[in-house]
């Protein structure tokens, strides 16, 4: 027995060491986890095994690791392809590296894709814009007119009525009031659509025609959310192996920067640009190492984003003699309906139907993004009017980038084609072609070249060409020239050249020469200064070298509540004097306020105390009154 004691001792030692190894391999540790060198901030339970690590599947998912669904509550890291782990025993940290495909997609976007969750607030009230003009002419006498726009609004609707009152002191000129538009509109901001009753204008695709009606219009209104971008934006995919930052350069200009976590990312924070461009996606890690990805893209505002629906349905009676008569509507009802749908990010189909007064019309078309090379538009429309058939075919193409732009459009009509806009005007123009080319360069300046060809049944073929060129110089000078030439008929040409010169910080002067169709040149010198936006004096003066000795001078005053002007014009010894005053009266918050003309929107500012300056876009617009309001 004693001869076997050394062997027994050795065996016991081996088993003891093995037991110690097994015990250490199954240690339960609580470690700080890093995923691709990013600290997750998680302290989780990890079991150390021989050359491996066991971790709960729920913990991995909570840290953003994406892997196939597993029924096991725990797994070994070695069972996940491409996953490695490094243990820092001093700091009790476990560094896990996983492939980018196992990390969640990071989306960076600053654009609104859904309807607004917080619609703008609208209060109750009313306002009227007014514009009074008086003109005294030596031959005609004195004439005056007043234009008004009346708006009555509530939380979700508004009523509009506008018109022009004219008065003349000359014999044979009668006082007359012409109503332009009157309508009621209710907006549904949450669903981005509106309903209008009264004087309306129907919407159509670019290959259709809109008309004025008195009736009802129900239409999509994406303008209810001014932050919404309706056209498809390019999406840039990338992947970062470790934490870092991502820069997006559009046409070599930095447009966006943000931090990025390890894993794939998606960026659609494009600025408001259109046409072709080049994007550089630069990823920088914590050590300053960079990876660059260059992508070409094309942004086409003619398309709708996938899933978006734009529609218009208008029913009513055609309006005639607009601007001349207040209430001249036809007696037979007509209708117009159009539809656009964002089928994909590169394809937007369109539909148009019209009818009434013996007309039946239907058309289809589409806008197609041709990769990085522009947009193609195709359409076909058929019509039947008083038993006479006709149809229209159209095709167009456009392309632009920061240097050049090109567009062309061709419409051809066959037979007796009619739409709602031509019911009372005989057969429409049977063909028209438009071609335009533009170029911009820092040294060469910018120029535009256009060609127009129209064919009409009675007037025959008419062709025009136009060319314009402008160049801005660092001294502040701007040179502009324009030539228009008729290629058919009389073959007349009109040309002009203008040199614009800055006068001080806010003034502008110009010297120009114009050549008319009779080949006579006329030169003019002009100087002006616009009235400051915050208020003040503006002026303008001009004189030419024509035989009539034309001259013009005006003074403009922009006040807190009105804008006024007075001008004198002399032509061949005759003098015409005019004056104008424009502004608005606002009823809101149980008070009446005077204001400058309300162009698009307004707000009543209540600061609670007097003489508080109010700025919009860093522009001073005024100070609060004694009641603390502006």
């Amino acid at each position: 027995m004693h001869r076997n004691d050394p062997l027994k001792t050795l065996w016991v030692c081996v088993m003891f060491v093995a037991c110690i190894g097994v015990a250490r391999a199954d240690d339960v540790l609580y470690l700080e986890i890093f995923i691709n060198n990013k600290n997750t901030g998680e302290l989780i339970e990890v079991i150390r095994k021989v050359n491996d690590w066991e971790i709960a599947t729920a913990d991995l998912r909570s840290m953003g690791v994406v892997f196939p669904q597993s029924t096991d509550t725990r797994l070994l890291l070695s069972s996940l392809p491409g996953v490695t782990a490094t243990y820092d025993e001093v700091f009790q940290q476990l560094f896990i590296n996983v492939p980018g495909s196992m990390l969640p997609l990071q989306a960076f976007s600053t654009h609104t894709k859904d309807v607004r969750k917080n619609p703008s607030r609208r209060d109750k009230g009313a306002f009227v814009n007014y514009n009074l003009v008086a003109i005294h002419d030596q031959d005609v006498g004195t004439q005056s007119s007043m234009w008004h726009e009346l708006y009555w609004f509530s939380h979700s609707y508004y009523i509009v009525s506008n018109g022009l009152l004219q008065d003349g002191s000359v014999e044979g000129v009668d006082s007359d009031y012409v109503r332009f538009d009157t309508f009621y509109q209710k907006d549904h901001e949450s669903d981005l659509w509106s309903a209008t009753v009264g004087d309306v204008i129907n919407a159509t695709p670019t290959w259709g025609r809109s008309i004025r009606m008195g009736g009802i219009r129900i239409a999509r209104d994406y303008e209810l959310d001014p932050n919404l971008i309706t056209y498809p934006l390019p999406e840039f995919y990338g992947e970062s192996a470790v934490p870092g930052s991502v820069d997006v350069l559009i046409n070599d200009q930095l447009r966006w920067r943000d931090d990025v976590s390890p894993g794939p990312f998606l960026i659609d924070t494009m600025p408001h640009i259109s046409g072709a461009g080049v994007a550089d996606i630069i990823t920088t890690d914590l050590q300053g190492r960079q990876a660059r990805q260059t992508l070409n893209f094309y942004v086409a505002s003619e398309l709708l984003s996938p899933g978006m629906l734009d529609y218009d349905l208008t029913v009513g009676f055609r309006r005639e003699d607009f601007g001349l008569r207040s209430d001249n509507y036809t007696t037979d009802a007509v209708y117009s309906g159009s539809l656009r749908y964002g089928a994909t990010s590169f394809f937007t189909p369109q539909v148009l139907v019209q009818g009434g007064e013996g007309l039946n019309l239907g058309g289809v078309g589409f806008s197609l993004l041709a990769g990085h090379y522009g947009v193609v538009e195709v359409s076909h429309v058929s019509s039947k009017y008083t038993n006479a058939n006709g149809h229209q075919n159209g095709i167009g193409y456009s392309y632009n980038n920061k240097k050049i732009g090109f567009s062309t459009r061709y419409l051809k009509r066959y037979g007796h084609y009619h739409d709602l806009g031509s019911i009372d005007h005989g057969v429409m123009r049977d063909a028209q072609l438009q071609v335009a080319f533009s170029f911009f360069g820092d040294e060469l300046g910018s120029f535009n070249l256009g060609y127009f060809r129209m064919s009409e049944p009675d007037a025959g073929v008419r062709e025009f060409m136009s060319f314009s060129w402008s160049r801005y110089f660092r001294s502040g000078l701007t040179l502009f020239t324009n030539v228009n030439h008729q290629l058919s008929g009389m073959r007349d040409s009109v040309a002009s050249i203008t040199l614009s010169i800055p006068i001080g910080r806010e003034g502008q002067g110009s010297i120009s020469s114009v050549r008319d169709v009779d080949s006579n040149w006329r030169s003019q010198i002009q100087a002006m200064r616009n009235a400051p936006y915050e208020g003040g004096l503006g002026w303008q003066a001009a004189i030419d070298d024509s035989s009539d000795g034309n001259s013009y001078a005006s003074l403009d005053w922009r006040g807190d509540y009105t804008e006024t002007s007075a001008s004198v014009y002399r032509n061949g010894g005759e003098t015409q004097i005019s004056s104008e005053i424009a502004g608005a009266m606002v009823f809101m918050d149980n008070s009446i306020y005077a204001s400058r003309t309300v162009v698009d929107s307004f707000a009543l500012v209540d600061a609670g105390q007097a003489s508080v300056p109010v700025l919009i876009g860093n522009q001073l617009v005024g100070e609060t009154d004694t009641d603390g309001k502006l």
Side-chain angles (χ1 to χ4, degrees), residues 196 198 200 202 213-218 312-318 333-337:
T196 309
V200 296
N202 66 305
M213 299 187 203
I216 301 173
R217 178 175 182 251
I218 298 175
D312 179 284
L313 176 61
T314 307
V315 180
F317 302 89
R318 289 189 304 113
V334 296
Y335 68 87
S336 174

Side-chain angles (χ1 to χ4, degrees), residues 53-64:
W53 300 88
E54 183 183 290
I55 192 169
T57 56
D59 289 336
L60 284 174
R61 287 196 172 93
S62 68
M63 293 182 293

